[in-house]
Amino acid sequence: MNILDELKKLRSDPYIQSREGTIRADNALFLYNTLSHLKPKTFLEIGFNQGHGSITALKALSSDSKVVSLDIGVHKSAHHNSKIIKGDHDNFEIVFGDSTKILDSVCKKIKPLDFCIIDGGHSYAIC
């Protein structure tokens, strides 16, 4: 299944979608191509929400890479989609909590960190 089909799979499940957390196809392909080229062993995503960034990373990276996502967990879609992704990918982990409080402890557990994207908080101060 290609990356765009994977993204559609997350959108089509029967639950209440958050208005946030989608990724445009061109952005998904950019992230996919970047990660495919760089091949990081550890990838951290801050702001999982619907999981589009995580599934893009998982499809771009080898199964021996580790993908870790942090999310505050206020939307049902984050919990629902993380279970779908975890069921398909052994190298995926999600940590629910406020990234401004848990980021240091998560980073210590996944050293070395090779690549990180920040898509949480949505304010300059939080980022």
Side-chain angles (χ1 to χ4, degrees):
M1 191 178 296
N2 71 37
I3 186 59
L4 298 179
D5 289 336
E6 288 285 341
L7 295 174
K8 288 176 190 170
K9 176 182 168 185
L10 295 181
R11 286 195 189 139
S12 63
D13 282 302
Y15 66 95
I16 299 170
Q17 286 279 349
S18 161
R19 287 180 282 155
E20 303 171 354
T22 59
I23 188 169
R24 290 185 1 210
D26 57 338
N27 291 336
L29 292 172
F30 175 79
L31 179 59
Y32 179 89
N33 290 331
T34 300
L35 294 175
S36 294
H37 176 74
L38 295 176
K39 298 177 178 41
K41 289 293 182 189
T42 53
F43 172 88
L44 175 65
E45 172 188 44
I46 301 171
F48 173 84
N49 198 5
Q50 293 185 35
H52 298 157
S54 292
I55 198 66
T56 301
L58 287 159
K59 286 299 186 179
L61 301 174
S62 67
S63 60
D64 65 336
S65 295
K66 180 81 173 168
V67 173
V68 179
S69 293
L70 305 181
D71 195 82
I72 201 160
V74 297
H75 298 295
K76 290 179 184 178
S77 57
H79 298 277
H80 183 273
N81 283 354
S82 65
K83 289 177 187 172
I84 292 171
I85 294 171
K86 283 179 82 164
D88 293 340
H89 300 277
D90 293 334
N91 58 331
F92 171 71
E93 177 183 349
I94 186 154
V95 180
F96 288 106
D98 184 337
S99 62
T100 65
K101 296 177 182 165
I102 65 171
L103 183 60
D104 286 342
S105 65
V106 170
C107 286
K108 287 177 185 174
K109 290 179 186 175
I110 61 172
K111 283 184 178 178
L113 178 59
D114 297 320
F115 196 97
C116 178
I117 60 170
I118 302 171
D119 189 19
H122 305 285
S123 75
Y124 183 78
I126 290 175
C127 291

